[in-house]
Amino acid sequence: MKIYNTLTRKKEEFVPINEGKAGIYVCGPTVYDYIHIGNARPMIVFDTLRRYLEYRGYEVNYVSNFTDVDDKIIKRANEEGVDSKVISERYIEECKKDMKALNVREATVHPKATEEIPDMIKMIEELINKDYAYEVNGTVYFRTRKFRGYGKLSGKNIDDLRSGNRSLLVSGEDEKEDPLDFVLWKPKKEGEPSWESPWGDGRPGWHLECSVMSKKYIGDVIDIHAGGEDLIFPHHENEIAQSEAANDTEFARYWMHNAFLKINNEKMSKSLGNFFTVREIGEKYDLQVIRFFMLNAHYRSPLNFSADLVEASKNGLDRIKTSAEKLQEIISANKSAEMKEDEKNLVEKLPEYTEKFNAAMDDDFNTADAIAVIFELVKFINTETNEESSVEFAEKLYNVLETLCNVLGIEIKTEKELPDAEIQALIDERQAARKNKDFKRADEIRNMLLDKGIILEDTREGVRWKRA
Ligand code: AMP
Ligand code: ZN
């Protein structure tokens, strides 16, 4: 399995630190508003990375943080006249709802910056002890030049950075020893959340969060560190400097960065105002379609968001689902059980699809090529099955199609509506259970129906039901 490593600018064979295991850290969103569909791109592509590693037998520890203390959160809290915790908690919940709708699985751990402050203080103390950090009037800075490897991820030359930043040096406002130094701890300002520290009340710098949380939940060395390409500099460069200086070891072995989602060929971002939230898009399209749209491009290629491309993705996804339905129909019609001779021969071709799919994914997670293989399989299913096909044959095809789609987080199961007669039978069973004081069973039936979108209403005239 090969991964393009931003650090070495090459595709490299993935060799985990511990055989069969993978520790992945993905920088998560700052929670001050609904996430936009640009933010959804890293969530979807790295969730797919995780699913693929699991499918290939790895035990994955997937850690993705929520940045819940930040200027933007504080600004929003002040505008609404509430505590910043109200804002961050609200948008963490909303973000989780969007992730669910995009079929992005919950991380193994979703640490929050505000809950990890003691460890952040500890890392700053270590950096001060090692002379990698210093305090001036309540602010602690990282001594960037002291870290020899600075610039290795972004390919920036430290001297070029220095001349670019010279204006800061002469402004006189800055107390840093060097304009390249960045903040590890900043002092409290009126109306801002703060924590006690040896340098006075204040809060941590953004870069420090990820160094501390990845260390705590994965370890000093992590297998894969990922995020959007805008994070390469300065965020990830600074994370490397802090972590490697504090831990005396390599920080992350593979660095993966997704390219941007664009709109009219401009980067989609909050600051440019040219964004759509996942919530808005979810009103227009099934978010499965958006996930499929994102995976139709390689994660390192820029992707332009347009109604035409989303429409094309919708049609593609429908083709896959129609094929899956055809198989389901053969299975439920149950005309012949066992495979015929010609079907047995056809089944031997199935591993080829899986192998081709794996080869595409092994090549730096080329989901675009992997989807092309799924379409080849769909064509095979459509031409080689008919009403007379056996259940066994249809099941074998269905299993392969479902497995490959699942790796991409694409659901092909179409829930059939429960027929009215079956609903009535379940309601009758529930009434009987209640009569026998078997409330557990009665509740079970109510919840089962609720899962299928059937709402029960107990009235004087009896039980009424409706579809949600
Ligand atoms: P932020 O909340 O701005 O820190 O962003 C959270 C994640 O979304 C980061 O990994 C960003 O790199 C990523 N991101 C932000 N905008 C886009 C975009 N337009 N396309 C792809 N990724 C993005
Ligand atoms: Zn980060």
Side-chain angles (χ1 to χ4, degrees):
M1 189 185 302
K2 286 202 157 58
I3 298 183
Y4 179 87
N5 189 350
T6 312
L7 187 66
T8 56
R9 292 164 195 84
K10 283 201 296 268
K11 279 186 197 167
E12 292 174 0
E13 190 60 32
F14 177 59
V15 185
I17 302 160
N18 298 309
E19 210 187 316
K21 294 193 174 171
I24 306 178
Y25 187 90
V26 183
C27 294
T30 307
V31 279
Y32 65 101
D33 205 343
Y34 290 100
I35 57 162
H36 63 69
I37 52 170
N39 300 136
R41 192 172 187 193
M43 289 177 181
I44 292 166
V45 301
F46 299 122
D47 174 67
T48 307
L49 161 78
R50 170 196 195 173
R51 286 170 184 263
Y52 184 65
L53 286 168
E54 287 182 351
Y55 155 82
R56 295 304 295 266
Y58 286 91
E59 190 187 311
V60 180
N61 178 13
Y62 190 90
V63 181
S64 189
N65 67 303
F66 285 115
T67 295
D68 63 347
V69 55
D70 175 85
D71 289 344
K72 295 188 201 111
I73 300 172
I74 296 168
K75 183 166 172 269
R76 179 87 192 234
N78 289 340
E79 281 164 9
E80 290 193 21
V82 295
D83 199 79
S84 30
K85 205 170 171 61
V86 174
I87 301 292
S88 58
E89 292 292 321
R90 181 198 303 159
Y91 290 112
I92 286 172
E93 282 321 301
E94 298 301 341
C95 178
K96 284 189 173 172
K97 283 185 208 159
D98 288 338
M99 283 166 62
K100 193 155 191 263
L102 291 163
N103 216 11
V104 169
R105 283 167 50 201
E106 285 234 1
T108 318
V109 199
H110 277 293
K112 296 177 198 158
T114 56
E115 291 174 2
E116 310 291 344
I117 307 283
D119 282 343
M120 296 190 204
I121 292 175
K122 216 170 111 204
M123 190 177 275
I124 298 174
E125 283 177 327
E126 274 170 29
L127 289 169
I128 292 177
N129 288 341
K130 288 182 163 178
D131 217 28
Y132 274 109
Y134 57 95
E135 184 247 353
V136 190
N137 295 330
T139 305
V140 184
Y141 296 100
F142 185 86
R143 199 168 264 134
T144 304
R145 272 187 173 273
K146 190 174 159 70
F147 180 68
R148 292 275 156 237
Y150 199 79
K152 65 180 171 185
L153 181 70
S154 55
K156 290 189 191 294
N157 181 313
I158 202 156
D159 292 314
D160 296 344
L161 289 172
R162 189 178 164 81
S163 59
N165 279 326
R166 191 157 291 165
S167 57
L168 274 177
L169 251 191
V170 291
S171 72
E173 291 166 14
D174 211 298
E175 298 170 310
K176 297 189 237 182
E177 289 176 1
D178 185 314
L180 285 185
D181 297 350
F182 58 88
V183 173
L184 299 175
W185 185 265
K186 49 181 126 183
K188 176 188 173 159
K189 281 197 211 132
E190 211 31 59
E192 288 188 0
S194 64
W195 290 264
E196 278 177 20
S197 84
W199 319 284
D201 289 359
R203 61 184 163 104
W206 170 44
H207 314 302
L208 187 73
E209 279 177 27
C210 295
S211 282
V212 168
M213 296 189 274
S214 60
K215 180 183 167 88
K216 174 159 175 192
Y217 294 102
I218 302 178
D220 285 1
V221 192
I222 58 185
D223 288 300
I224 303 174
H225 196 314
E229 65 182 2
D230 58 325
L231 300 184
I232 297 173
F233 186 85
H235 186 54
H236 289 162
E237 199 71 75
N238 291 355
E239 281 186 35
I240 293 176
Q242 297 160 156
S243 294
E244 298 194 354
N247 304 330
D248 292 315
T249 178
E250 178 189 21
F251 176 41
R253 308 198 23 176
Y254 301 87
W255 285 88
M256 292 177 72
H257 292 99
N258 65 275
F260 264 65
L261 181 73
K262 300 184 164 196
I263 190 157
N264 299 326
N265 288 314
E266 260 191 3
K267 126 181 183 183
M268 183 182 286
S269 79
K270 286 251 166 70
S271 52
L272 293 172
N274 59 351
F275 65 92
F276 293 111
T277 61
V278 169
R279 211 47 74 83
E280 280 168 332
I281 293 296
E283 284 166 14
K284 276 201 197 144
Y285 304 98
D286 177 353
L287 288 173
Q288 281 280 304
V289 172
I290 297 299
R291 180 170 181 121
F292 193 62
F293 158 77
M294 299 264 191
L295 296 177
N296 266 296
H298 187 265
Y299 75 93
R300 284 190 291 116
S301 307
L303 174 61
N304 208 35
F305 183 80
S306 77
D308 284 353
L309 283 179
V310 175
E311 206 52 47
S313 294
K314 182 178 178 305
N315 293 337
L317 188 55
D318 283 346
R319 250 166 68 210
I320 299 173
K321 285 190 172 171
T322 308
S323 193
E325 269 164 33
K326 185 180 179 193
L327 295 173
Q328 273 170 343
E329 272 161 25
I330 295 170
I331 295 164
S332 40
N334 196 10
K335 278 202 179 159
S336 64
E338 276 166 33
M339 279 203 285
K340 301 159 203 149
E341 252 350 274
D342 61 328
E343 290 179 337
K344 284 184 187 160
N345 290 335
L346 286 167
V347 153
E348 294 195 354
K349 294 219 173 89
L350 280 181
E352 282 172 32
Y353 292 96
T354 303
E355 280 158 25
K356 258 178 106 174
F357 177 92
N358 292 356
M361 293 297 279
D362 278 347
D363 182 16
D364 191 30
F365 313 98
N366 195 331
T367 52
D369 284 0
I371 288 173
V373 178
I374 292 182
F375 281 124
E376 283 174 29
L377 176 62
V378 163
K379 198 168 155 207
F380 178 80
I381 293 168
N382 292 348
T383 44
E384 304 299 352
T385 60
N386 57 44
E387 286 174 7
E388 304 307 317
S389 301
S390 72
V391 170
E392 194 184 354
F393 183 51
E395 277 176 349
K396 286 206 174 351
L397 293 170
Y398 190 88
N399 285 344
V400 178
L401 184 64
E402 190 183 38
T403 305
L404 301 188
C405 287
N406 269 348
V407 172
L408 302 179
I410 301 295
E411 306 266 359
I412 55 168
K413 257 199 198 94
T414 41
E415 285 277 333
K416 287 252 162 11
E417 265 196 3
L418 211 55
D420 291 7
E422 259 179 58
I423 296 172
Q424 197 50 54
L426 282 163
I427 291 174
D428 293 345
E429 194 193 331
R430 176 171 170 264
Q431 291 301 85
R434 287 194 349 166
K435 235 181 176 166
N436 293 332
K437 300 219 175 333
D438 183 358
F439 297 112
K440 194 168 154 265
R441 176 69 190 146
D443 282 349
E444 249 171 44
I445 294 173
R446 173 188 275 271
N447 292 335
M448 193 159 80
L449 286 167
L450 201 59
D451 275 350
K452 296 193 185 297
I454 311 296
I455 298 166
L456 301 189
E457 219 182 316
D458 292 310
T459 69
R460 277 190 199 185
E461 289 78 36
V463 181
R464 286 213 203 113
W465 65 268
K466 61 176 186 207
R467 292 185 202 272

